[in-house]
Amino acid sequence: DTETLREHPRLATRRTDDRVLVALTPDGDPAAPAADNLIGYALQLGERADELASRDPLPSVTVTLGELRAIPPPGPALSDTDLVALAAAVSANTAVTGRLELYPRDLSPERALKLSQVVSYLSAPPGLSPGELRDRVLARFPDLTALPDAPRLRDILRRQKYDVQVTDGRYLIPAETQASGSSPKPRTGTETRYGTS
């Protein structure tokens, strides 16, 4: 409030949905970008982040950085980490992984399981405990808003034809069912990213 009373306020604010964006420009630096331009830039990044996160398959980090850097900044370029973090923070429905991958916060459990590659952990003893199964998904996508509990995740895998069994309180896909061909071949990270089979 005090800042807004100045003749040349350094702060600019803009409300978008349930978020308030605040930009600060250095005091007395005529070369600094205007705060309104900084907010406009951030909003463009957020819109692009939502578009990228809605793609199937999810874009690689290289594609994400290329698309975000195609938006000209009003000032000095941000680091890769700051650029992707800002885009996700300003977006309507996008989060970012520790690897700088963008994904929708409402990513479906089916896609989250597939992209987390949990089948590879279930396919070898000792498998995963119910808590570990869910933790594996959240380790890859920590900001999911509607991830069900572990038994429902197991049911989703079973609907995808994986014979997930419970042994000593742990989820496991027995080797004999893998060898019989009754469950689909787990997809590799490359196959998952590029949608090949």
Side-chain angles (χ1 to χ4, degrees):
D1 289 340
T2 301
E3 187 68 29
T4 61
L5 298 176
R6 294 176 52 146
E7 183 178 356
H8 301 290
R10 297 170 300 164
L11 289 177
T13 60
R14 189 177 306 174
R15 180 177 293 279
T16 61
D17 300 324
D18 59 345
R19 295 157 294 150
V20 177
L21 305 181
V22 180
L24 171 67
T25 57
D27 196 11
D29 183 358
D36 281 335
N37 292 341
L38 292 172
I39 288 179
Y41 173 64
L43 290 171
Q44 289 182 68
L45 289 177
E47 290 172 3
R48 185 68 53 86
D50 282 330
E51 189 274 319
L52 288 166
S54 70
R55 295 182 184 177
D56 187 10
L58 293 175
S60 68
V61 174
T62 302
V63 169
T64 293
L65 289 172
E67 295 257 359
L68 294 178
R69 293 222 179 272
I71 301 171
L78 299 172
S79 69
D80 290 349
T81 301
D82 289 344
L83 179 70
V84 179
L86 177 61
V90 180
S91 71
N93 187 44
T94 298
V96 60
T97 71
R99 304 184 221 181
L100 300 186
E101 301 163 306
L102 295 178
Y103 65 95
R105 285 189 168 87
D106 59 358
L107 184 71
S108 73
E110 291 80 4
R111 286 188 72 198
L113 283 166
K114 182 185 295 184
L115 293 170
S116 301
Q117 300 179 7
V118 295
V119 170
S120 63
Y121 296 98
L122 295 169
S123 299
L128 295 173
S129 71
E132 289 169 342
L133 172 61
R134 196 168 188 276
D135 288 347
R136 286 284 175 186
V137 178
L138 289 175
R140 179 76 184 273
F141 303 111
D143 293 322
L144 292 181
T145 55
L147 187 67
D149 58 21
R152 287 183 56 206
L153 291 176
R154 180 199 61 206
D155 293 342
I156 290 170
L157 287 168
R158 286 178 170 170
R159 286 197 301 271
Q160 294 172 341
K161 308 303 183 190
Y162 289 105
D163 185 20
V164 181
Q165 297 182 8
V166 182
T167 304
D168 297 327
R170 300 181 72 83
Y171 297 154
L172 183 66
I173 300 175
E176 58 269 19
T177 64
Q178 298 172 44
S180 70
S182 61
S183 60
K185 171 189 163 189
R187 304 178 78 183
T188 66
T190 302
E191 290 168 348
T192 298
R193 179 173 295 137
Y194 297 104
T196 59
S197 57

